[in-house]
Each structure stands twice: as structure tokens, then as C-alpha cells.
Amino acid sequence: MNDLTPEKTERSKLAKWSRRGFIGAGVLAGGGLLIGIGVRPGNPVGSLAPKVAGGAGEQLVNSWVKIDANNIVTAIVPHCEMGQGAHSVLAQMLADELDAAWDNVRVMQAPADGSYVVSDAARLFVAPFTLNAADWIEPTWDGVFTQIAKAADVLITGGSSSIRSTGQYQMRVAGAAARQMLVGAAAESWGVPASEIVTRDSTLTHEASGNSAPYSEFASAAAEQPMDHTPALKTSDQYRLMGRSMARTDIPAKVNGTAEFGIDAAPEGLDLSYAAVVRPPVPGTTALSMDAARAQEMGGVLQILNMGNFVAVVADSYWQASQAVNAIDIEWSQSDSPVKTMDDQFAVFAAAIDEAGESGGEEAAARGDAAAALANAATMIEAEYRAPYLAHAPMEPMNCTAHVADGKCDIWTSTQVPLMARSEVAATIGLDADDVIIHHPYLGGAFGRRLGSEYVAMAARVAQAAGYPVKLIWSREEDTQKALYRCADLCRMRAGLSEDGSLTAYSSIFTQRHDPAEASVPAMYDIANTQVRVAEAPLHLPFQAWRSVDHSQQGFFVESFIDEASHAAGADPLDYRLAMLAGAPRHKAVLEKVAEISGWREPSAEGTAKGVAIVESFGTIVAEVIEVDMTSGTPKMTNIWAVCDAGYVMNPDGFRNQIEGGIVFGLTAAMYGELELRDGAIVQSNFHDYKMLRMDEVPNIEVAIINSGDVPVGGAGEPGLPPAAPALANAIFAATGTRLRSLPIAKQFA
């Protein structure tokens, strides 16, 4: 494509999710088959079986697969299920390589005790040069990075990584290797060549001899077979399940109400109390004193606890606890932060960029001589873009049930990082990690919010102080006003155009870089001279990765500014982009397809217009065209067309659902998302003033998929979001001539 390579000297834990991993198979030892788990040193299959295959007639064939006496195949999945459908698609990928009957496939959440980790994440983070290791060394590399993953608590669901990493390089490998070993066991038993045995729908068949048997008959014997560390995987023309819209395994329980989320969980046989909390309104402050006289007199109140950085009330019910905690008069310490309003925060950003000047800050990526090209450009354009703080706002409130007794701590919670949560609890209440047991139910949404574990540690502290099981629940107000946030940012951009309007120079500088490192770099475009810099500036509010992380801001900045350049050149915005994609054929194909399905070249009705944006994120290229109707004076979105190239889509219906969800999430943020500050505290508190896009505001959405073939598989949960805001802003400009350089949009038409 080109030689723009983003660099970053210090990366957060989520950086690993912007890369692609490969995991191979393990070794045979101790009468059990192990794939992808702790290959060196040792083989934990013996210790895994009691944890995941303790039922009558269950056989753990390998660490990811168990088969019971009824020939039910269960895929043991390390990622959490938070509505994205990962459990189902991971099982689908394993089942296809295993040639299992889909109707008899089940899913089990892997235990969060350290025995299951996502080792490909460690490989990506530490040494991506191992990704295509030779067959003979693959078991060693896998064992090394399994140990690294264990040390780093890498059992994470995030970064649209489940399918493109664990699915591709753990689940498929596990299924293919297990199938080979089942075939080997049957061949020995029947005295026939393994090459003559056919597998289909969880059945082994040798036509010449007339032998046929379910997988369950050979599940135990399969563990005695030698294992190919890098089994041959199916090609796309051999898929039976992958590439099809198979029914999700989690939907029935969610429809009939039997699905258990974190907020539903409770210890069996024990009375449960409830805790409500209130935390400092301004980050970095603590409770100096409190007057709890009124709260102590309220019915059902059991304990009132001043924990320093929060105050908790424990009561017989959550309603009683929340009423009581709101009745406490608390004196908080004063904040040292100079940021009292969002104007102050943007002033901090601007000062950092001003100080960086023409050449300061950290270089994120560079090619050619952008400074010279800008100086010699026929036309130069400049713009400053702003993005606000955003809350995650998952529908399931933040919650955690904890029970601390006899030197142990049981935790029931919805989390994206169960092992990290376990470690944080252990460190917080002074236990060994092995003495903290994480029970891991479904998540009622997350969007990155449940990558943090502060609410889990708080629940453990309260339960330890109380001396009995406590379910801690954050109110919507607490999570909106006093949590972790998508960061605000400011970006200044310059572009140089030649006499014919071609973009010859591109320069940007901004203040917040988290992950992925490449988010700020317009690498797909053929721009001869490019400079991208970061002038780091402090945030007033604490950061937590938000759906699509840096792509959520940078997609808006970059694709809005490319649109500005196209209009300065007097060119069609879509054609202008196409002209810069000669070295990026997949991107070009996506953009051409979205032009086709959206009717881009057809004239729009009076008062309406279309805008376009294209962003590659998490291995998936997405172009979106949004049509907006401005006849009422305010934006009304009427249609959205999205074209996506994720390499190969494993479950088209699930993929479309995720892209649609990302689009709606992105449009919500673009139209309404904003956290304002007053005296350093967040103003918004709940959905009445932190608005969501309503059903009647959601336009028609059409999603088209391009399968490019033999390229790495991309993600689905996040890539639909980044193009939404710039496509909408670009459509509004096309309709009105007004360029929007800050979000949210709705307030600018109020």
C-alpha cells in the first residue's frame, strides 16, 4: 500500500487487539489432548477436566472441546458473551473444522481461573515475528506465549478480536486437530486407512467396511493419538458452517428469560444484602467527612461505610440502599485540577499543541517532507476539529456481587477482563489471586466499559467490611458522572494541494493517543508527504477504551478533513478518495461498491445530500454513505449504505448486526454524545440528558459484504462506528455548505 508505519513507544494493554495473532497446537501428554493451552511446560488437561467436564459421560477431548455420551459437542470459549454473538461464531468455527452437527453443538464459558488464556494476544503484543512460525517450533512458541499470557492475565474480550484471533487460530485449529485424532482412533479400531474415513455431522464413516460411529464412541481413544501441531485447515470452498448465518446459541435463553447476567447472580443458600455507592463528583477527590444521621434512621439500612474514595450504604434491598446513600451529606476534598469546564479542557489541549509548534511532539508517522510540501503548495487549507468526552452507557448497570469469607472471595460479575478483575480484587483486599473465584455470566452490554475493574474491587471491599455477601450496584447517575470515559481531543490539520487539486501534503497533530496506534494515520491514501504528530496533554476525566477506541475520534477528524480537501479541489468527494487508492485495491473496491448501492452518482432531491467516509479498523474496511434531509433546518438521516470487507465473514447475519449496531452507536455519539463539565464535575446524569438515538430517528440501513478471499479475517463489533460521524457531517456540508468540525451535531442546530 505505502510505507506509512505508525510507531508508539508505550502502548496500553488494548494495543494487542489491533494486531492479528496465530496460535498453533500443543503436544500429547498424560493421556489427554491439549490444544493451545500451556504446551510448555506441562499439560494441564488432567486439571482442566474436573473444571469443565465433570458431568456424567463427558469426555474432554482437548482443552477446547468436550463430547458427551449423547454425542453433544461443547465448545469451551474463552471470550465473554455481551450481545456480540462471539460465543456462537467461535463454536461455529470450531464445529466446522470438527465436522460436527450444528444442532448438537453447545457453548461453555471457559473458567476464569487462569487455566484458560488468550495466548495469541501475548504473541501479538510481545513478538509478532512468531506469527508464522515453522511447524516444528510452533508448540514451543505457543507454550512460551501461553505463559506470558498467564502472567499478564490475558483473558480479554475487546478490540473486535474474538473471531479474527481466537476463532481463526485457536478454535479452528482445535477443531481440525480433534477431528484428525478421532479419525486416527477409528482407523486403528476398524483396521482401515485413516484416509478412507469420512467425517460428517459428528459421525465417522468408512464406507468400504460399512463401519460407522458417533464421535462419542472414540472421544477417549482420540487422546491416545499423535497430534499434528499445525493441522491443515479447510479452505473456504470446503466450509459447511463458516460463511453461513447459523442461529446463535445464546438467543433462546435471552428470549425465555433464563439467561443469567451479572446483575442476576447470587450465591446459593446465603442471604444477600445490597449496596449503593456514591463517589466524588470530581476526579481525584475523597470524602473528608459525612453526616449520615438521616440515612441511619431509614428502614432496611444495615451499614454505612466511608471507604475514602467512595461511600457505601448496605441495606436489605437496593432501593433502600440507594435512598439512604442519597440522604448522606458528604464533604469532598477540593480538586487541584485547573479544568472546571470543557473550555478549560480544550484550552489545555490547545496549549500542548501550541507548545509543540511546527515540529514538536511525538511523531506518530511520517513520509516524505510534509513541511516543505506545505510551504510550496498551490493551495493550503487548515482546520481544527474537536471531539468531546463520551460515556459508555451499557444497558446493564455496573454491578458486582462479592462474598469474602474464610480467606476466600467469590465474585459474580459481568466483565470483559475476568483475570484482571481477579488480580485487582486480590491486590485490593489482600488475598492471593488463587483465592479469588470469578463467576462469569453474560454481560448486558459493555462497549469497553467493563474493561475496567474498579467496581469489582469496590464490591470486594464492601463485602469484606460488611462480613456477608453483598451485591453492589451503581446507579445510572454514578456511571454517567463518575466512571471512566472515551477521551475528548483536539486535532489541528493542514493540507497542501497542487495546481490540479491533488493532495500533496497532509499534516495533523492531536493530543490523545491510546489504541490502535495506526488510527490517526491515513495510510490507505497515496499522499506523497505526510506527517502525523501527538502533543500529549493531560485529561481531566479518567480514560477507558470506548467502542473503536481512537478510531472513534480519528475517523471523524481524518475523513472530514479529506472531504474538506476534495471540496477545496473542486472534486467529487468519492472520486477524490478513489484517485488516492491506487495502491489499496481492497479499499477501492469497497468505495466503488458503496457508490453503486447508494446511487452516489444520481442527483439528490432538493434539500437532501449524501456524504461518504471510509475507515479501516480492526482489520475490516468499511465505507459508508449517509443521506441526510435538511429541509426542516435540522438533520434527518434517511438512508445509510455500508460496504464492508472483513476478509471473510464467518456469520453474515451476525456480522451485519454488529455493523448496524456500530453505525447506530456512532450516530448516537455524532448527534448527541457529549459530557459537559461544571466546576470540574460532569453535568449529564442519565438518559434524559445523555441522549440516545431513538428508534424513529434511525434511518434505513443497508449493509453489503465483500469477501476478499485469502486475506486475514477482520473484526465486526467496532468497524461500523468510525465512518458514521464523518459521513454524516460530510452529508450536512453537501446539503448546507456548513462544515461541522466539532461534535455533537444536534446542539449546533438547536
Side-chain angles (χ1 to χ4, degrees):
M1 193 144 50
N2 57 44
D3 60 354
L4 282 176
T5 304
E7 297 179 356
K8 190 173 180 183
T9 56
E10 183 177 345
R11 291 167 61 81
S12 76
K13 288 182 178 179
L14 268 191
K16 60 180 76 69
W17 302 114
S18 66
R19 297 278 197 267
R20 189 166 288 102
F22 185 93
I23 187 167
V27 296
L28 186 68
L33 175 63
L34 175 70
I35 298 176
I37 296 287
V39 175
R40 299 176 188 269
N43 185 329
V45 165
S47 61
L48 286 177
K51 301 175 182 179
V52 298
E58 292 185 336
Q59 172 65 50
L60 188 64
V61 179
N62 64 51
S63 56
W64 302 111
V65 183
K66 67 178 178 181
I67 301 175
D68 71 11
N70 295 317
N71 211 28
I72 298 296
V73 172
T74 298
I76 302 165
V77 174
H79 294 287
C80 69
E81 178 58 62
M82 50 185 170
Q84 82 281 36
H87 276 192
S88 300
V89 183
L90 290 171
Q92 183 178 342
M93 296 168 79
L94 183 148
D96 200 338
E97 295 289 353
L98 183 59
D99 282 337
W102 181 244
D103 289 344
N104 289 336
V105 173
R106 307 290 184 266
V107 179
M108 178 181 182
Q109 177 75 60
D113 61 1
S115 55
Y116 283 82
V117 290
V118 186
S119 57
D120 54 317
R123 276 175 96 154
L124 295 171
F125 184 57
V126 177
F129 66 85
T130 69
L131 299 185
N132 295 305
D135 291 0
W136 64 272
I137 201 171
E138 178 59 26
T140 299
W141 279 129
D142 187 54
V144 167
F145 288 103
T146 294
Q147 300 310 314
I148 293 172
K150 286 183 176 180
D153 287 338
V154 183
L155 188 62
I156 302 175
T157 304
S160 296
S161 66
S162 301
I163 308 308
R164 63 195 182 108
S165 60
T166 302
Q168 278 290 81
Y169 306 121
Q170 285 183 301
M171 292 297 154
R172 291 187 64 188
V173 168
R179 189 195 67 83
Q180 283 187 8
M181 298 183 79
L182 287 162
V183 168
E188 285 189 4
S189 176
W190 295 338
V192 301
S195 61
E196 295 180 4
I197 294 177
V198 175
T199 54
R200 185 75 178 251
D201 293 336
S202 303
T203 301
L204 298 142
T205 302
H206 184 254
E207 186 175 350
S209 66
N211 285 309
S212 181
Y215 284 173
S216 55
E217 186 172 317
F218 290 101
S220 297
E224 305 297 330
Q225 293 293 309
M227 190 188 74
D228 185 350
H229 298 160
T230 53
L233 303 180
K234 291 182 178 182
T235 55
S236 59
D237 61 309
Q238 297 172 317
Y239 295 166
R240 294 174 180 168
L241 299 177
M242 289 183 284
R244 295 176 57 192
S245 297
M246 308 305 294
R248 280 174 50 172
T249 59
D250 59 315
I251 296 301
K254 291 177 177 177
V255 172
N256 66 31
T258 59
E260 186 174 90
F261 295 84
I263 203 164
D264 301 316
E268 293 185 11
L270 295 173
D271 292 333
L272 184 63
S273 298
Y274 296 81
V277 298
V278 60
R279 285 159 298 148
V282 180
T285 59
T286 59
L288 298 177
S289 64
M290 65 179 188
D291 181 355
R294 277 202 306 140
Q296 288 171 338
E297 296 174 355
M298 298 175 73
V301 172
L302 302 175
Q303 295 190 53
I304 298 175
L305 305 169
N306 183 347
M307 309 300 285
N309 61 340
F310 69 95
V311 172
V313 171
V314 183
D316 290 332
S317 73
Y318 175 68
W319 174 255
Q320 292 168 315
S322 62
Q323 294 302 297
V325 81
N326 290 329
I328 300 174
D329 184 12
I330 305 171
E331 180 187 358
W332 302 102
S333 63
Q334 295 297 307
S335 170
D336 295 330
S337 173
V339 175
K340 307 301 180 185
T341 67
M342 280 307 299
D343 286 342
D344 296 336
Q345 180 69 92
F346 284 119
V348 170
F349 295 159
I353 293 176
D354 289 342
E355 185 177 347
E358 296 295 317
S359 59
E362 181 185 351
E363 188 175 86
R367 185 173 67 182
D369 189 340
L374 285 167
N376 295 318
T379 303
M380 189 174 77
I381 61 173
E382 298 181 87
E384 180 178 284
Y385 286 85
R386 295 185 177 192
Y389 285 110
L390 296 175
H392 298 78
M395 287 305 295
E396 180 190 5
M398 306 310 292
N399 68 89
C400 178
T401 299
H403 182 207
V404 181
D406 302 324
K408 306 280 186 181
C409 178
D410 277 273
I411 294 289
W412 294 261
T413 192
S414 302
T415 174
Q416 294 173 257
V417 286
L419 294 184
M420 293 180 185
R422 182 181 72 157
S423 293
E424 186 162 344
V425 167
T428 299
I429 64 174
L431 295 179
D432 291 335
D434 289 342
D435 292 324
V436 178
I437 300 93
I438 301 288
H439 305 272
H440 196 199
Y442 286 144
L443 284 62
F447 315 116
R449 176 65 185 92
R450 288 181 161 92
L451 289 165
S453 301
E454 79 286 10
Y455 62 99
V456 184
M458 288 170 62
R461 287 181 64 191
V462 171
Q464 185 181 51
Y468 42 78
V470 175
K471 182 186 291 291
L472 180 148
I473 302 174
W474 286 18
S475 67
R476 183 69 60 188
E477 289 75 14
E478 284 294 303
D479 195 41
T480 301
Q481 296 183 321
K482 306 166 188 178
L484 306 165
Y485 303 96
R486 199 289 301 269
C487 59
D489 201 3
L490 183 148
C491 180
R492 290 181 185 163
M493 313 182 85
R494 293 184 295 167
L497 278 61
S498 64
E499 292 285 354
D500 66 1
S502 299
L503 188 55
T504 60
Y506 174 99
S507 173
S508 74
I509 183 169
F510 54 96
T511 73
Q512 303 300 317
R513 183 168 59 153
H514 298 278
D515 290 298
E518 65 271 15
S520 60
V521 183
M524 62 185 169
Y525 293 126
D526 183 14
I527 305 172
N529 303 283
T530 301
Q531 182 185 57
V532 179
R533 293 179 293 144
V534 186
E536 293 187 359
L539 293 168
H540 177 68
L541 299 179
F543 166 79
Q544 181 62 64
W546 189 88
R547 194 171 187 175
S548 81
V549 204
D550 286 5
H551 285 290
S552 68
Q553 303 105 316
Q554 293 295 338
F556 173 62
F557 299 158
V558 173
E559 282 297 289
S560 294
F561 193 58
I562 292 293
D563 217 69
E564 292 207 45
S566 73
H567 286 283
D572 176 89
L574 194 145
D575 289 336
Y576 196 74
R577 289 170 168 84
L578 284 173
M580 295 189 290
L581 293 175
R586 290 177 63 198
H587 297 76
K588 187 176 182 181
V590 167
L591 205 53
E592 289 173 337
K593 182 67 175 179
V594 83
E596 175 191 335
I597 67 172
S598 68
W600 176 266
R601 305 193 190 287
E602 300 170 7
S604 297
E606 185 175 353
T608 69
K610 295 169 183 170
V612 65
I614 179 171
V615 179
E616 178 180 359
S617 62
F618 305 96
T620 296
I621 304 162
V622 179
E624 294 172 13
V625 168
I626 295 182
E627 182 179 62
V628 65
D629 182 345
M630 295 297 301
T631 54
S632 68
T634 59
K636 177 178 174 57
M637 296 170 285
T638 55
N639 289 286
I640 298 178
W641 299 269
V643 176
C644 315
D645 181 351
Y648 190 89
V649 171
M650 294 297 169
N651 186 311
D653 185 56
F655 182 89
R656 288 189 179 93
N657 289 341
Q658 285 298 290
I659 294 298
E660 290 169 1
I663 289 171
V664 173
F665 204 86
L667 291 177
T668 291
M671 285 296 294
Y672 301 122
E674 180 182 34
L675 294 174
E676 300 170 289
L677 299 175
R678 183 183 302 134
D679 295 328
I682 292 172
V683 174
Q684 284 75 17
S685 62
N686 209 317
F687 289 132
H688 70 287
D689 55 6
Y690 190 74
K691 291 182 64 177
M692 300 287 112
L693 203 66
R694 301 300 179 95
M695 291 180 68
D696 62 348
E697 298 175 284
V698 176
N700 299 315
I701 302 176
E702 179 181 345
V703 178
I705 294 170
I706 295 176
N707 285 328
S708 287
D710 191 20
V711 296
V713 170
E718 295 169 281
L721 187 149
L728 175 57
N730 294 340
I732 292 171
F733 174 81
T736 66
T738 299
R739 178 65 64 181
L740 303 179
R741 299 191 179 99
S742 64
L743 299 175
I745 289 170
K747 70 182 297 183
Q748 300 175 62
F749 291 90

